[in-house]
Amino acid sequence: QLQLQESGPGLVKPSETLSLTCTVSGGSISISSYYWGWIRQPPGKGLEWIGSIYHSGSTYYKPSLMSRVTISVDTSKNQFSLTLSSVTAADTAIYYCARDDYYDRSGFYEHWGRGTLVTVSS
Amino acid sequence: VLTQSPATLSLSPGERATLSCRASESVSSFLGWYQQKPGQAPRLIIYDASNRATGIPARFSGSGSGTDFTLTISSLEPEDFAVYYCQQRSSWPLLTFGGGTKVEIK
């Protein structure tokens, strides 16, 4: 059974860089046709798609975050990562990693990590 | 932009729930629905407007195309009270979510 687990600091200072890693177990991150994504959710609010990556390294980002976001993949470790620079309080959220399913480029996330809360505060 | 209505739906167990998601432009049938309970990650319920995800009970059904979509729960079970989000993949790789509808116990 595919499992995803987010890890990283729970507290980041304003203007610094947020870095999270998603470790995949129970399946290979290199499997064809599936895309790996990051989604966030500010406390008490809705879901926001941040971006996604293919095992080849192709990346896609939400336009409004593109200048601050980098998603990368390490197939040797079966992990993919998120960095978000110049964070502000507005970036405080639960960050989820996820994988889509059902067909190539479906964009529908069947598999999710449990999420990790990142707070931006001095 | 995906607009969900109502924001909150107050119903009793056994009642029928009808949730709406409206897109600002056509997304064809490329719309999905997620269920989220407090403290949990979202769970995919429906993809491509009407296809139930793996393991989803038959009381959940989705319909619609173009700009207007509906998620119906035929008879609410206690475990169905949650927040539901719609999501479009028509503009893949760019994905967007609606603002959510909370189904609460009346």
Side-chain angles (χ1 to χ4, degrees):
Chain A
Q1 181 179 352
L2 190 70
Q3 293 189 331
L4 295 83
Q5 177 69 57
E6 306 89 351
S7 59
L11 182 65
V12 181
K13 290 182 168 55
S15 79
E16 296 190 342
T17 296
L18 177 161
S19 296
L20 296 174
T21 295
C22 182
T23 300
V24 179
S25 58
S28 173
I29 202 168
S30 299
I31 192 169
S32 296
S33 302
Y34 298 122
Y35 287 73
W36 306 86
W38 287 99
I39 301 97
R40 70 180 181 179
Q41 183 173 38
K45 297 188 178 180
L47 301 166
E48 179 183 27
W49 177 77
I50 299 170
S52 62
I53 190 165
Y54 194 56
H55 66 80
S56 63
S58 298
T59 52
Y60 311 91
Y61 302 130
K62 181 175 182 176
S64 62
L65 297 172
M66 189 176 297
S67 63
R68 299 195 292 131
V69 173
T70 302
I71 297 176
S72 59
V73 64
D74 187 335
T75 55
S76 67
K77 293 181 178 179
N78 229 29
Q79 296 176 333
F80 64 107
S81 299
L82 169 73
T83 63
L84 181 66
S85 63
S86 305
V87 297
T88 69
D91 296 309
T92 294
I94 298 171
Y95 286 77
Y96 296 99
C97 59
R99 196 203 82 179
D100 69 3
D101 210 330
Y102 295 105
Y103 56 87
D104 188 18
R105 298 184 174 94
S106 80
F108 295 117
Y109 291 113
E110 173 74 5
H111 307 278
W112 294 70
R114 297 181 68 176
T116 187
L117 175 63
V118 179
T119 301
V120 178
S121 175
S122 55
Chain B
V1 177
L2 298 177
T3 302
Q4 293 188 239
S5 61
T8 303
L9 197 53
S10 299
L11 294 169
S12 300
E15 290 193 295
R16 182 184 188 90
T18 303
L19 288 67
S20 174
C21 178
R22 177 165 289 177
S24 58
E25 57 186 34
S26 176
V27 297
S28 185
S29 63
F30 297 128
L31 188 109
W33 292 91
Y34 295 83
Q35 175 194 70
Q36 188 178 34
K37 298 179 182 179
Q40 296 185 16
R43 175 191 184 193
L44 182 66
I45 301 294
I46 297 286
Y47 67 96
D48 283 353
S50 61
N51 295 295
R52 277 189 300 276
T54 301
I56 301 303
R59 64 180 180 272
F60 290 91
S61 62
S63 62
S65 65
T67 61
D68 290 297
F69 299 85
T70 301
L71 173 68
T72 301
I73 310 171
S74 60
S75 179
L76 282 165
E77 297 288 338
E79 62 267 27
D80 299 336
F81 291 92
V83 179
Y84 292 83
Y85 294 95
C86 58
Q87 178 230 317
Q88 67 81 24
R89 60 84 61 201
S90 175
S91 57
W92 191 95
L94 306 183
L95 310 176
T96 54
F97 291 90
T101 290
K102 181 179 182 181
V103 179
E104 65 175 21
I105 299 176
K106 186 174 182 180

